[in-house]
Amino acid sequence: MKLPRGQLVRSRVVADPATPLVEALARGLTGYAVLSPQEAVLLDGDDAGVLTFEDGVPVAAVHPGTDRGGPAALAALAGPGPVSAELYRLDPGDLGALHDVDGFRVPPGMPAERLGGDSALAERTRAAAPDGRTGES
């Protein structure tokens, strides 16, 4: 699935995979993050995954390199840093098609727990999630 090119708001390599999640939540980002794990960063590979957000809360995850979506995409991205993280802002309507795919959706706190091992961030993210999206099922 191809996303429209958003407005780049942040690009950097970070040691902690939770950092882009913290930034997205703090910014109230509606858009997406392109995350490239350590191996892709160090070997100049193309193993990036995409995590989408609405108002800073994760909604969907896709890993094109493995054709995985949802929690399976997070598993493909999980691992120690560094992580190259690019955050892009989009209009909310530009994410609709991706967010409508059940197999791509993730519970709000799952990315913080699976990518960053950060239960406090997961709780803050669940608290920020709209009604009806707070559960982990």
Side-chain angles (χ1 to χ4, degrees), residues 21 51 58-59 61 74 106-117:
L21 304 176
L51 185 61
V59 176
L74 294 176
V106 294
M110 186 180 281
E113 291 170 339
R114 299 243 177 121
L115 298 179

PDB file of all heavy atoms in Angstrom, residues 21 51 58-59 61 74 106-117:
ATOM      1  N   LEU A  21       7.924   7.449  18.957  1.00  0.00           N
ATOM      2  CA  LEU A  21       6.577   7.312  19.509  1.00  0.00           C
ATOM      3  C   LEU A  21       6.303   8.441  20.496  1.00  0.00           C
ATOM      4  O   LEU A  21       5.208   9.009  20.518  1.00  0.00           O
ATOM      5  CB  LEU A  21       6.410   5.957  20.193  1.00  0.00           C
ATOM      6  CG  LEU A  21       6.698   4.727  19.329  1.00  0.00           C
ATOM      7  CD1 LEU A  21       6.592   3.458  20.146  1.00  0.00           C
ATOM      8  CD2 LEU A  21       5.783   4.684  18.128  1.00  0.00           C
ATOM      9  N   LEU A  51       4.513   3.157  10.635  1.00  0.00           N
ATOM     10  CA  LEU A  51       3.560   3.200  11.734  1.00  0.00           C
ATOM     11  C   LEU A  51       2.760   4.487  11.562  1.00  0.00           C
ATOM     12  O   LEU A  51       3.345   5.566  11.434  1.00  0.00           O
ATOM     13  CB  LEU A  51       4.311   3.197  13.066  1.00  0.00           C
ATOM     14  CG  LEU A  51       3.503   3.134  14.343  1.00  0.00           C
ATOM     15  CD1 LEU A  51       2.669   1.851  14.396  1.00  0.00           C
ATOM     16  CD2 LEU A  51       4.417   3.207  15.545  1.00  0.00           C
ATOM     17  N   PRO A  58      -0.867   5.699  17.863  1.00  0.00           N
ATOM     18  CA  PRO A  58      -0.677   4.724  16.781  1.00  0.00           C
ATOM     19  C   PRO A  58      -1.987   4.057  16.376  1.00  0.00           C
ATOM     20  O   PRO A  58      -2.815   3.733  17.220  1.00  0.00           O
ATOM     21  CB  PRO A  58       0.284   3.693  17.392  1.00  0.00           C
ATOM     22  CG  PRO A  58       0.982   4.426  18.478  1.00  0.00           C
ATOM     23  CD  PRO A  58      -0.037   5.386  19.026  1.00  0.00           C
ATOM     24  N   VAL A  59      -2.142   3.848  15.055  1.00  0.00           N
ATOM     25  CA  VAL A  59      -3.339   3.217  14.522  1.00  0.00           C
ATOM     26  C   VAL A  59      -3.000   1.959  13.731  1.00  0.00           C
ATOM     27  O   VAL A  59      -3.636   0.925  13.896  1.00  0.00           O
ATOM     28  CB  VAL A  59      -4.140   4.192  13.631  1.00  0.00           C
ATOM     29  CG1 VAL A  59      -5.345   3.495  13.005  1.00  0.00           C
ATOM     30  CG2 VAL A  59      -4.574   5.411  14.427  1.00  0.00           C
ATOM     31  N   ALA A  61       0.227  -0.477  11.527  1.00  0.00           N
ATOM     32  CA  ALA A  61       1.638  -0.771  11.259  1.00  0.00           C
ATOM     33  C   ALA A  61       1.722  -1.659  10.040  1.00  0.00           C
ATOM     34  O   ALA A  61       0.925  -2.587   9.869  1.00  0.00           O
ATOM     35  CB  ALA A  61       2.279  -1.467  12.457  1.00  0.00           C
ATOM     36  N   LEU A  74       4.968  -5.018  13.743  1.00  0.00           N
ATOM     37  CA  LEU A  74       5.737  -4.535  14.893  1.00  0.00           C
ATOM     38  C   LEU A  74       6.825  -5.535  15.275  1.00  0.00           C
ATOM     39  O   LEU A  74       7.943  -5.150  15.609  1.00  0.00           O
ATOM     40  CB  LEU A  74       4.821  -4.275  16.090  1.00  0.00           C
ATOM     41  CG  LEU A  74       3.814  -3.144  15.936  1.00  0.00           C
ATOM     42  CD1 LEU A  74       2.918  -3.080  17.168  1.00  0.00           C
ATOM     43  CD2 LEU A  74       4.505  -1.828  15.686  1.00  0.00           C
ATOM     44  N   VAL A 106      -3.302  -1.673  14.978  1.00  0.00           N
ATOM     45  CA  VAL A 106      -2.641  -2.082  16.220  1.00  0.00           C
ATOM     46  C   VAL A 106      -3.315  -1.372  17.388  1.00  0.00           C
ATOM     47  O   VAL A 106      -3.781  -0.238  17.246  1.00  0.00           O
ATOM     48  CB  VAL A 106      -1.124  -1.763  16.214  1.00  0.00           C
ATOM     49  CG1 VAL A 106      -0.396  -2.596  15.180  1.00  0.00           C
ATOM     50  CG2 VAL A 106      -0.857  -0.294  16.005  1.00  0.00           C
ATOM     51  N   PRO A 107      -3.376  -2.015  18.549  1.00  0.00           N
ATOM     52  CA  PRO A 107      -3.887  -1.337  19.737  1.00  0.00           C
ATOM     53  C   PRO A 107      -2.966  -0.163  20.100  1.00  0.00           C
ATOM     54  O   PRO A 107      -1.757  -0.217  19.853  1.00  0.00           O
ATOM     55  CB  PRO A 107      -3.840  -2.424  20.821  1.00  0.00           C
ATOM     56  CG  PRO A 107      -3.838  -3.716  20.070  1.00  0.00           C
ATOM     57  CD  PRO A 107      -3.080  -3.420  18.802  1.00  0.00           C
ATOM     58  N   PRO A 108      -3.508   0.901  20.670  1.00  0.00           N
ATOM     59  CA  PRO A 108      -2.733   2.114  20.920  1.00  0.00           C
ATOM     60  C   PRO A 108      -1.423   1.925  21.696  1.00  0.00           C
ATOM     61  O   PRO A 108      -0.408   2.524  21.352  1.00  0.00           O
ATOM     62  CB  PRO A 108      -3.690   2.996  21.712  1.00  0.00           C
ATOM     63  CG  PRO A 108      -5.036   2.527  21.321  1.00  0.00           C
ATOM     64  CD  PRO A 108      -4.903   1.051  21.075  1.00  0.00           C
ATOM     65  N   GLY A 109      -1.411   1.106  22.721  1.00  0.00           N
ATOM     66  CA  GLY A 109      -0.212   0.955  23.540  1.00  0.00           C
ATOM     67  C   GLY A 109       0.787  -0.069  23.042  1.00  0.00           C
ATOM     68  O   GLY A 109       1.930  -0.110  23.506  1.00  0.00           O
ATOM     69  N   MET A 110       0.387  -0.887  22.091  1.00  0.00           N
ATOM     70  CA  MET A 110       1.247  -1.979  21.637  1.00  0.00           C
ATOM     71  C   MET A 110       2.585  -1.520  21.041  1.00  0.00           C
ATOM     72  O   MET A 110       3.623  -2.114  21.354  1.00  0.00           O
ATOM     73  CB  MET A 110       0.503  -2.875  20.650  1.00  0.00           C
ATOM     74  CG  MET A 110       1.294  -4.112  20.244  1.00  0.00           C
ATOM     75  SD  MET A 110       0.383  -5.161  19.087  1.00  0.00           S
ATOM     76  CE  MET A 110      -0.728  -5.996  20.233  1.00  0.00           C
ATOM     77  N   PRO A 111       2.635  -0.500  20.185  1.00  0.00           N
ATOM     78  CA  PRO A 111       3.939  -0.094  19.654  1.00  0.00           C
ATOM     79  C   PRO A 111       4.934   0.316  20.753  1.00  0.00           C
ATOM     80  O   PRO A 111       6.114  -0.034  20.682  1.00  0.00           O
ATOM     81  CB  PRO A 111       3.600   1.081  18.729  1.00  0.00           C
ATOM     82  CG  PRO A 111       2.213   0.781  18.277  1.00  0.00           C
ATOM     83  CD  PRO A 111       1.540   0.209  19.504  1.00  0.00           C
ATOM     84  N   ALA A 112       4.462   1.037  21.763  1.00  0.00           N
ATOM     85  CA  ALA A 112       5.359   1.442  22.853  1.00  0.00           C
ATOM     86  C   ALA A 112       5.906   0.233  23.597  1.00  0.00           C
ATOM     87  O   ALA A 112       7.081   0.200  23.972  1.00  0.00           O
ATOM     88  CB  ALA A 112       4.631   2.377  23.817  1.00  0.00           C
ATOM     89  N   GLU A 113       5.058  -0.762  23.805  1.00  0.00           N
ATOM     90  CA  GLU A 113       5.496  -1.957  24.521  1.00  0.00           C
ATOM     91  C   GLU A 113       6.400  -2.834  23.664  1.00  0.00           C
ATOM     92  O   GLU A 113       7.426  -3.316  24.132  1.00  0.00           O
ATOM     93  CB  GLU A 113       4.275  -2.746  24.996  1.00  0.00           C
ATOM     94  CG  GLU A 113       3.527  -2.009  26.085  1.00  0.00           C
ATOM     95  CD  GLU A 113       2.187  -2.620  26.436  1.00  0.00           C
ATOM     96  OE1 GLU A 113       1.621  -3.374  25.604  1.00  0.00           O
ATOM     97  OE2 GLU A 113       1.691  -2.329  27.533  1.00  0.00           O
ATOM     98  N   ARG A 114       6.039  -3.032  22.411  1.00  0.00           N
ATOM     99  CA  ARG A 114       6.794  -3.953  21.552  1.00  0.00           C
ATOM    100  C   ARG A 114       8.063  -3.345  20.974  1.00  0.00           C
ATOM    101  O   ARG A 114       9.065  -4.032  20.831  1.00  0.00           O
ATOM    102  CB  ARG A 114       5.915  -4.449  20.408  1.00  0.00           C
ATOM    103  CG  ARG A 114       4.700  -5.213  20.890  1.00  0.00           C
ATOM    104  CD  ARG A 114       4.718  -6.639  20.432  1.00  0.00           C
ATOM    105  NE  ARG A 114       3.598  -7.373  20.952  1.00  0.00           N
ATOM    106  CZ  ARG A 114       2.685  -7.975  20.196  1.00  0.00           C
ATOM    107  NH1 ARG A 114       2.767  -7.903  18.878  1.00  0.00           N
ATOM    108  NH2 ARG A 114       1.717  -8.647  20.757  1.00  0.00           N
ATOM    109  N   LEU A 115       8.025  -2.081  20.600  1.00  0.00           N
ATOM    110  CA  LEU A 115       9.196  -1.456  19.991  1.00  0.00           C
ATOM    111  C   LEU A 115      10.127  -0.844  21.028  1.00  0.00           C
ATOM    112  O   LEU A 115      11.339  -0.892  20.881  1.00  0.00           O
ATOM    113  CB  LEU A 115       8.789  -0.376  18.983  1.00  0.00           C
ATOM    114  CG  LEU A 115       7.973  -0.837  17.791  1.00  0.00           C
ATOM    115  CD1 LEU A 115       7.633   0.339  16.892  1.00  0.00           C
ATOM    116  CD2 LEU A 115       8.696  -1.920  17.011  1.00  0.00           C
ATOM    117  N   GLY A 116       9.553  -0.243  22.060  1.00  0.00           N
ATOM    118  CA  GLY A 116      10.371   0.468  23.028  1.00  0.00           C
ATOM    119  C   GLY A 116      10.442  -0.163  24.400  1.00  0.00           C
ATOM    120  O   GLY A 116      11.228   0.264  25.237  1.00  0.00           O
ATOM    121  N   GLY A 117       9.614  -1.187  24.648  1.00  0.00           N
ATOM    122  CA  GLY A 117       9.594  -1.791  25.977  1.00  0.00           C
ATOM    123  C   GLY A 117       9.240  -0.782  27.054  1.00  0.00           C
ATOM    124  O   GLY A 117       9.722  -0.860  28.174  1.00  0.00           O
TER     125      GLY A 117
END
